[in-house]
């Protein structure tokens, strides 16, 4: 098998709001869209993000009304402290303050307009 692209698909109430959030704050752009659907790509590559509106008939019946609850969309960055300052400056609320885990993960979280948790992560040497 050859995988040519990876995407995460999240079911939300307001597709437009989540898509606008990623476009404004993370540089994503719209690859395609339709009523209740948008697919976003990033110029740096990485994972594509697809938003589907809850209740769409294209979703299997058992998934149609479930939301992206408990999912964390994580982006690995080079300077997480600078990203935290940038997002604060853009008026984004920090929902999990910048912290460092003992195994060398420095991270913080924000939440998009639909409640999807977005985590920014930088890998550092433990104790550095």
């Amino acid at each position: 098998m050859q995988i040519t692209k990876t995407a995460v698909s999240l079911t939300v109430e307001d597709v437009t709001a989540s898509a606008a959030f990623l476009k404004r704050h993370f540089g994503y752009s719209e690859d395609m869209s339709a009523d209740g659907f948008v697919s976003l790509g990033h110029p740096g590559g990485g994972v594509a993000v697809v938003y589907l509106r809850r209740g769409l008939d294209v979703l299997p019946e058992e998934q149609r009304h479930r939301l992206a609850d408990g999912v964390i969309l994580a982006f690995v960055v080079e300077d997480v402290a600078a990203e935290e300052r940038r997002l604060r400056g853009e008026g984004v609320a920090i929902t999990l303050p910048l912290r460092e885990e003992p195994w060398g993960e420095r991270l913080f979280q924000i939440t998009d307009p639909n409640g999807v948790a977005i985590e920014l992560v930088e890998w550092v040497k433990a104790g550095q």
Side-chain angles (χ1 to χ4, degrees):
M1 168 179 43
Q2 180 181 358
I3 297 174
T4 60
K5 192 170 186 178
T6 300
V8 61
S9 181
L10 305 169
T11 304
V12 297
E13 292 288 351
D14 187 344
V15 168
T16 303
S18 283
F21 190 82
L22 279 191
K23 290 192 286 189
R24 176 176 180 209
H25 298 294
F26 294 96
Y28 273 80
S29 60
E30 188 175 299
D31 290 337
M32 63 183 100
S33 65
D35 182 38
F37 160 84
V38 66
S39 177
L40 303 171
H42 195 274
V47 67
V49 178
V50 174
Y51 290 109
L52 298 169
R53 185 180 60 236
R54 184 168 73 147
L56 283 180
D57 289 341
V58 299
L59 293 167
E61 179 63 37
E62 65 275 6
Q63 295 178 13
R64 216 168 271 169
H65 297 286
R66 295 174 62 190
L67 293 172
D69 186 35
V71 173
I72 298 173
L73 184 58
F75 298 126
V76 177
V77 298
E78 291 184 5
D79 186 345
V80 74
E83 294 299 329
E84 191 263 355
R85 286 189 303 276
R86 176 185 67 83
L87 288 164
R88 268 191 205 279
E90 293 175 1
V92 177
I94 307 301
T95 51
L96 178 67
L98 185 61
R99 61 192 279 171
E100 187 169 324
E101 301 297 350
W103 53 85
E105 181 181 26
R106 190 174 294 150
L107 62 97
F108 72 94
Q109 286 184 3
I110 61 175
T111 304
D112 91 344
N114 282 289
V116 176
I118 300 174
E119 183 172 282
L120 280 77
V121 178
E122 177 182 13
W123 295 100
V124 296
K125 291 184 180 177
Q128 185 179 21

